[in-house]
Amino acid sequence: MSADRYNHAEAVRRAKSLGARLNTAAQMAIELIAAADLDETNADRVVLSATVGNPEPKIVPLTLKDKVLRAAELAYSLAGDLHLRGRDPGDLAFVRGVQRNIEFVLVDARGLLDMTADYRAELIAVQLQKARNLAAELAVVLEASSESSHMDERRSGQGEQIRMSAPALGAARAAAWLLAAADRDRYAEEFKAELLAIASAGGRCREQLACALAQLRRAPLLRVELREPRRRNAAP
Amino acid sequence: MSRESAPRMTLPTQLVLRALLAEPTREMYGLQICAEASLPSGTIHPILARFERLGWLESRWEDVDTSAEGRPRRRYYQFTEDGAERARIALAQATTAVAAMKLQARPARGTA
């Protein structure tokens, strides 16, 4: 019990620290963009990911500025979430879900930031790397604690047991949190319904978590899509 | 920068459209669309939101008693009146553009 409490408090402390570092990194990314040193034309890159056995290279156009903005926006939102959670440290699973997603995002961000020679980008990369290291430490602490809180059992209307993954629910909740306030309730319900559908179909914790992390990773893009004005409504 | 009237037709976008166009009048929820499009679950919400914004799709909540069912409502998506036709046109144009790109990219054969 006391060990759990220690781990819990430690996890929250580290989560807060991670949030602060991500905030710093995001702020630097914003400054980088504001400095407008990035020539947007030059920043448009084309990545050719040709691999052995894949005769047709996959062409992925990337706009560095957009990607940095996306990383910054996500970092801000995650930092905010972690800060909120720090006040109410009752959901380790939530923090664990967020932490895993941070890992993915930061790996992507690091790769993108390596593409520019701007020295500020290097500083950002260093900050992001520190945040990533911290996230890895956080993972160790979280994995060691409260394994029993991993699964949440629920009962369906038909009486059969459905096992919902608590980390997946947490990540889905985080995904909804990344959206504008007006859209949160709708997508929180929609995301949760998807997880429940997976669980009802016998989907295991890992499958639910994969779905929830996909929701979380695409939340910033969804937010952008929802922000755009509706064309149909603009017409009389 | 002006935005084009049709969405960017990425591969997932095309897959989602094809899945929806298989039965244009059928209502489907997100997970169903993912399965039909062979895309990982949880990946298509930005695409669906884009189509809703363009007026190609409309969505509604499932009409169920959530407490009786013991689960949250699903969100069902369906083409609007002219949405399917507009989607078909965009898909055809995208397919044509890809074919043209492939032709351009193919090196000439039989020359030194």
Side-chain angles (χ1 to χ4, degrees):
Chain A
M1 182 72 177
S2 59
D4 277 352
R5 279 190 177 284
Y6 170 76
N7 285 336
H8 199 162
E10 181 66 8
V12 171
R13 188 187 69 75
R14 287 179 185 277
K16 278 178 155 181
S17 177
L18 173 62
R21 284 182 185 278
L22 285 172
N23 251 332
T24 306
Q27 186 58 48
M28 293 184 74
I30 295 290
E31 284 170 12
L32 174 68
I33 293 156
D37 282 344
L38 284 176
D39 178 337
E40 200 170 344
T41 309
N42 291 336
D44 287 338
R45 304 288 178 113
V46 173
V47 176
L48 295 172
S49 59
T51 54
V52 178
N54 179 13
E56 288 193 13
K58 188 181 169 192
I59 299 172
V60 185
L62 295 173
T63 304
L64 181 59
K65 188 176 169 184
D66 290 345
K67 293 286 181 179
V68 173
L69 265 175
R70 185 179 151 206
E73 187 176 356
L74 189 55
Y76 265 130
S77 300
L78 289 171
D81 281 341
L82 290 171
H83 183 67
L84 282 176
R85 282 286 147 185
R87 283 192 214 145
D88 178 21
D91 193 349
L92 276 178
F94 174 88
V95 181
R96 178 156 36 197
V98 172
Q99 177 272 324
R100 284 184 180 154
N101 193 57
I102 287 170
E103 287 270 30
F104 287 123
V105 171
L106 294 187
V107 168
D108 286 350
R110 176 65 196 261
L112 289 162
L113 291 169
D114 280 347
M115 292 168 71
T116 173
D118 192 299
Y119 77 98
R120 274 167 296 192
E122 288 177 26
L123 291 177
I124 292 170
V126 169
Q127 287 294 324
L128 290 176
Q129 185 61 45
K130 284 180 182 172
R132 185 170 174 244
N133 292 342
L134 199 62
E137 287 179 40
L138 178 62
V140 173
V141 175
L142 291 173
E143 289 295 341
S145 67
S146 141
E147 280 299 318
S148 59
S149 71
H150 217 68
M151 300 294 289
D152 179 21
E153 293 194 352
R154 293 175 169 229
R155 241 168 225 292
S156 75
Q158 287 78 33
E160 66 187 271
Q161 280 199 335
I162 297 175
R163 291 161 69 85
M164 290 290 292
S165 157
L169 285 170
R173 223 162 33 229
W177 258 100
L178 294 185
L179 305 177
D183 302 312
R184 271 179 208 151
D185 288 347
R186 168 188 163 176
Y187 280 95
E189 192 169 357
E190 200 169 343
F191 291 160
K192 189 175 174 185
E194 286 194 359
L195 296 183
L196 196 63
I198 292 172
S200 302
R204 290 188 302 182
C205 183
R206 177 180 287 189
E207 291 160 63
Q208 295 172 48
L209 191 59
C211 175
L213 289 178
Q215 292 167 348
L216 188 52
R217 292 188 79 182
R218 280 159 184 81
L221 181 58
L222 177 59
R223 185 185 171 118
V224 170
E225 292 293 347
L226 292 169
R227 259 194 226 151
E228 295 277 336
R230 283 177 174 263
R231 302 232 169 97
R232 169 158 288 208
N233 290 355
Chain B
M1 190 189 298
S2 67
R3 296 177 74 91
E4 63 276 288
S5 57
R8 210 157 49 87
M9 298 298 276
T10 60
L11 184 59
T13 305
Q14 293 184 41
L15 290 172
V16 168
L17 278 186
R18 288 200 181 103
L20 291 165
L21 284 170
E23 286 182 74
T25 55
R26 180 183 168 201
E27 284 187 313
M28 288 200 280
Y29 60 93
L31 210 59
Q32 264 182 321
I33 300 170
C34 282
E36 301 276 334
S38 302
L39 288 169
S41 55
T43 59
I44 61 165
H45 294 289
I47 298 172
L48 294 176
R50 196 179 313 145
F51 291 154
E52 275 199 280
R53 175 166 53 79
L54 290 168
W56 295 9
L57 285 183
E58 56 194 1
S59 65
R60 68 166 183 89
W61 285 115
E62 182 185 22
D63 188 17
V64 292
D65 182 348
T66 53
S67 56
E69 290 288 323
R71 62 171 175 81
R73 297 172 295 173
R74 290 170 179 158
R75 187 86 181 177
Y76 279 100
Y77 294 85
Q78 188 182 28
F79 276 118
T80 56
E81 203 175 317
D82 59 346
E85 190 54 32
R86 290 159 71 186
R88 271 195 202 96
I89 293 167
L91 198 53
Q93 285 171 345
T95 310
T96 310
V98 169
M101 273 173 57
K102 279 185 177 170
L103 276 176
Q104 277 187 338
R106 187 170 296 168
R109 291 187 179 181
T111 55

